[in-house]
Amino acid sequence: MKLLILDAGHCLSLALAREASRRADTELVIEQGTTITSSRLEAIAPDAVIIPPLAHPLNMAPADVTAHADAVDLCLDACQSQDVALIWCVSDQLYEDGLDVPIDEHVVPAPRDDSLRRLVQTGDRVRAEFQRHLIVRLGPLFALEGSHAWLNDIIDNLVLGKAVRAAEDVIFCPTSADAVAMALIGMLQQQVSGAEAWGAYHLAGTEPVSAFTFTSMVRTQLLTHLEGRGEQITLGEVQPLKHHHDAKLRRVLNCRRVLDVFGVHQKPWRLEAGRMLDAWCLTRENNRVSDTGASA
């Protein structure tokens, strides 16, 4: 199976590259840009094109969100012309106002924000015009490297002693970029083998939490990891933010369909974050050893 991945520096693109490198059944071609032409698509001849998400479109300039939607529209045109499957990952922030219950796939986002509505319009067009698509709605992504990685920024600021501010009244399911990469490749392997299960799917980590709780857990585990390695460091504090004064806003994705159709299980975000913190601390320790050896 050959996959074309757009936006080379995105944390999901990097995770897809790592996952593909561990497999003998998946070939990746990764493009720097966020769009593709029909002629380029014909030359590469992939089985599918994957477009990583805007992780936090509510916090971005409207022009940047609109530009992303325009790029997806162009990708759709190219995929239609070459009959290549289009996989577009989108943020759970499209459900701007959330729901009190877990959100099923059939619930099409209806945001009030103009730029978010532009993304929904593109999604409507994908669903209406091209059967061979997957729209994969994701909880907030986290990773150690790449754009939209979130976790790396939290760690960097904490280690520098800077305060990290995080909302405590928005509830969601943090989602490991590595887990998404593994799931996407597994889903597409089944599609290439004839599953033909196109449509919208939800994919997120287990256990709904607030950004404040997630960030606080990262701080606690990071401190434990560093102290366990004999490193004493004063980390920055985590400060709660409130955006909704009356009630907590919940964006919890129901991921039952991806399990029923593809057998993809949700990954516990606590375990994924713990694994990444292990990797970060090991890299930090190795760098310290290398610096000590070089100075000696």
Side-chain angles (χ1 to χ4, degrees), residues 98-169:
L99 281 177
D100 291 336
V101 297
I103 304 170
D104 292 326
E105 285 88 351
H106 73 272
V107 179
V108 177
R112 292 172 287 104
D113 180 86
D114 287 340
S115 58
L116 293 188
R117 285 207 301 268
R118 175 68 182 86
L119 292 175
V120 174
Q121 289 171 2
T122 295
D124 290 342
R125 184 184 167 218
V126 171
R127 286 190 296 273
E129 296 184 9
F130 194 42
Q131 179 188 8
R132 302 186 69 229
H133 75 270
L134 296 177
I135 294 177
V136 185
R137 304 182 187 121
L138 305 173
L141 285 178
F142 64 90
L144 286 177
E145 58 179 343
S147 62
H148 304 276
W150 188 22
L151 182 60
N152 58 350
D153 289 334
I154 293 175
I155 295 173
D156 289 347
N157 284 317
L158 289 174
V159 170
L160 290 173
K162 296 181 179 179
V164 178
R165 306 176 74 194
E168 65 174 355
D169 54 357

Side-chain angles (χ1 to χ4, degrees), residues 27-50:
E27 176 187 355
L28 291 192
V29 177
I30 304 178
E31 295 280 292
Q32 287 292 133
T34 56
T35 190
I36 194 73
T37 64
S38 178
S39 58
R40 178 66 175 152
L41 201 55
E42 182 180 17
I44 298 172
D47 293 291
V49 175
I50 298 180

Side-chain angles (χ1 to χ4, degrees), residues 148-258:
H148 304 276
W150 188 22
L151 182 60
N152 58 350
D153 289 334
I154 293 175
I155 295 173
D156 289 347
N157 284 317
L158 289 174
V159 170
L160 290 173
K162 296 181 179 179
V164 178
R165 306 176 74 194
E168 65 174 355
D169 54 357
V170 179
I171 307 301
F172 46 50
C173 295
T175 310
S176 160
D178 288 340
V180 174
M182 183 183 300
L184 284 178
I185 290 180
M187 292 163 68
L188 289 171
Q189 285 288 355
Q190 293 180 56
Q191 294 290 75
V192 169
S193 298
E196 295 294 320
W198 306 108
Y201 293 87
H202 288 175
L203 188 59
T206 57
E207 188 191 348
V209 291
S210 67
F212 175 76
T213 299
F214 176 83
T215 306
S216 298
M217 183 282 301
V218 169
R219 184 186 186 279
T220 299
Q221 284 204 21
L222 178 61
L223 186 62
T224 300
H225 280 69
L226 291 173
E227 289 179 346
R229 287 172 164 78
E231 187 172 355
Q232 299 297 320
I233 186 170
T234 301
L235 299 178
E237 296 298 324
V238 182
Q239 300 176 347
L241 289 175
K242 282 187 178 292
H243 298 301
H244 307 275
H245 301 292
D246 48 352
K248 291 185 177 182
L249 188 153
R250 296 178 63 86
R251 293 194 192 103
V252 179
L253 302 179
N254 186 351
C255 303
R256 172 58 59 178
R257 186 169 183 241
V258 77

